[in-house]
Amino acid sequence: MSQMKAIVMQDGTVSLTQVARPQPSDGQVLVRSLACGICGSDLHITRHSNEVFDFYRKIGVMPESMDDHTEVMLGHEFCAEIVEYGPNTEQNLAIGSRVTSVPILMSQNGAGIGVTPGLNGAYSEYFILDEVLMLAVPDNVPAEAAALTEPLAVGLHAVNRSDIAAGETALVVGCGPIGLAVIAALKLRGITNIVAADLQAEKLQKAEVLGASLTVNPSKQDEVTAAAEHGANSRLVIFECVGIHTLIDGFIRRAPANSTIVVTGIHTATASVNYAYATVKELDLRFSYYYQPQEFTECLNAIAEGKIPWQQMLTGKVGIDGVEQAFEQLLSPNDHIKVVIEPWRNGALQEVE
């Protein structure tokens, strides 16, 4: 069996190793990874692997026999190239066609690509997709742009979950990839009152390009108060896109009556929340996870049609042998928004202008 390069996460660190190249089974396709984004959830799994694995075992994603030393091959935001079709496939796309997909294998009981132990992720040179979920990437869409379809779909789903309407006000807290994706989706949905909050000026500038009508640095100004004033008493919808669970109680305490809070960040730690504030103000607290296939397709089409300035999200590229060092940088305070791995080449992390 032939070997390939792959990035493996184990015991809170990532490393480059050699693993067996997977073979496609019924309905599956072997693809070559062209570009894969490093997601905040990848960093969270690496930083908090014990918490994540404990959660996985409780919800049945991992059997109890798998301990905290279990390996995970990361990578779920990707553009890839068709290499080989497995048995019982229709083969409507030619070998060499570029594709992306919802990172799920229905052929393996809905297992998540790049997050489920035992599956190859898109940080690897090759991995497996279900033919039925593949989407052809338009010729005018670069591989790195197609890899941004997944985080953009996360943002769109959060906006759809919020039920925000024209004339209402959005407060997006955290202008990393998901926050910027939420802003892009709000603009696509025709929302004009969009307040972006972040501690970094450069990220706030990108938020403006993507559609924010007001930017706030929470260290200098209360972002909830600023958004409420900006919205002129319209309903406020707060999108938590930071992934710091201690922020949620603060939003509940400060939000105006009848506001909605949509939690999009990844939280696996136990949080303390005083629900009395939410009760007396009749707040709606919602949670957003992944997306629907049609939302994924909508985002790919929006990229292809030039409706989203995706270049604002991309800040770095790295070859497969530079991923370990890139993770060390991304797990420390840094200015990056989205770094894309190109597993077909070597090279250290380089900024993209």
Side-chain angles (χ1 to χ4, degrees):
M1 184 176 291
S2 59
Q3 298 285 296
M4 68 173 184
K5 295 177 182 177
I7 298 294
V8 173
M9 192 289 298
Q10 185 180 34
D11 295 328
T13 61
V14 297
S15 59
L16 177 60
T17 187
Q18 291 277 334
V19 301
R21 193 168 91 170
Q23 297 296 314
S25 300
D26 283 3
Q28 295 181 338
V29 183
L30 176 69
V31 296
R32 174 175 172 259
S33 185
L34 299 177
C36 182
I38 297 177
C39 178
S41 62
D42 297 333
L43 300 173
H44 185 88
I45 290 173
T46 303
R47 183 185 282 119
H48 303 288
S49 56
N50 291 354
E51 284 181 9
V52 172
F53 288 161
D54 182 57
F55 178 68
Y56 277 4
R57 285 188 286 266
K58 287 178 178 176
I59 65 173
V61 173
M62 281 174 60
E64 291 292 336
S65 59
M66 286 188 175
D67 61 22
D68 289 347
H69 302 293
T70 297
E71 296 181 348
V72 176
M73 286 183 277
L74 301 171
H76 62 275
E77 307 175 354
F78 53 78
C79 177
E81 177 184 80
I82 296 174
V83 174
E84 178 187 351
Y85 282 98
N88 300 314
T89 49
E90 295 184 6
Q91 306 183 24
N92 293 324
L93 296 174
I95 299 296
S97 297
R98 295 184 310 146
V99 295
T100 187
S101 171
V102 170
I104 296 291
L105 288 179
M106 301 307 299
S107 57
Q108 296 193 27
N109 300 313
I113 297 169
V115 295
T116 303
L119 292 185
N120 298 103
Y123 286 11
S124 307
E125 288 186 284
Y126 299 89
F127 60 105
I128 296 293
L129 294 178
D130 279 347
E131 181 186 41
V132 69
L133 292 177
M134 291 193 314
L135 296 174
V137 174
D139 291 340
N140 68 319
V141 177
E144 60 268 30
L148 294 175
T149 303
E150 203 276 347
L152 286 167
V154 172
L156 178 61
H157 184 64
V159 171
N160 289 341
R161 287 277 297 134
S162 75
D163 290 329
I164 192 169
E168 296 181 331
T169 301
L171 168 60
V172 181
V173 184
C175 295
I178 302 306
L180 294 179
V182 167
I183 292 169
L186 288 164
K187 186 175 181 181
L188 286 176
R189 289 288 182 263
I191 305 303
T192 56
N193 291 335
I194 306 173
V195 181
D198 200 281
L199 298 175
Q200 295 178 273
E202 185 176 347
K203 290 182 178 180
L204 293 177
Q205 291 171 1
K206 291 178 179 292
E208 287 182 334
V209 175
L210 283 159
S213 52
L214 177 69
T215 60
V216 178
N217 183 330
S219 69
K220 300 177 181 179
Q221 183 181 9
D222 186 294
E223 70 275 26
V224 177
T225 300
E229 293 174 350
H230 185 69
N233 298 318
S234 64
R235 185 175 76 105
L236 180 62
V237 179
I238 302 172
F239 295 90
E240 182 279 312
C241 303
V242 183
I244 300 176
H245 66 84
T246 52
L247 295 177
I248 298 172
D249 186 62
F251 294 142
I252 289 174
R253 290 170 183 265
R254 289 179 287 147
N258 302 311
S259 296
T260 295
I261 300 171
V262 182
V263 179
T264 66
I266 299 297
H267 303 278
T268 52
T270 301
S272 177
V273 175
N274 188 328
Y275 290 107
Y277 294 90
T279 301
V280 298
K281 292 188 286 187
E282 294 196 327
L283 304 181
D284 287 329
L285 182 60
R286 300 187 181 186
F287 296 84
S288 180
Y289 183 63
Y290 273 100
Y291 35 75
Q292 297 298 317
Q294 61 269 25
E295 293 169 327
F296 191 94
T297 303
E298 182 179 344
C299 288
L300 179 61
N301 291 339
I303 292 171
E305 294 164 8
K307 294 180 179 178
I308 297 175
W310 57 268
Q311 297 88 344
Q312 296 297 316
M313 298 174 65
L314 182 65
T315 56
K317 291 184 179 182
V318 64
I320 195 166
D321 66 334
V323 173
E324 295 177 49
Q325 187 175 8
F327 258 65
E328 290 179 9
Q329 183 173 340
L330 295 174
L331 286 167
S332 302
N334 66 91
D335 296 328
H336 278 289
I337 294 176
K338 178 62 65 177
V339 172
V340 167
I341 301 168
E342 295 176 327
W344 47 270
R345 69 172 180 90
N346 291 326
L349 175 60
Q350 294 183 331
E351 294 187 4
V352 175
E353 297 295 335

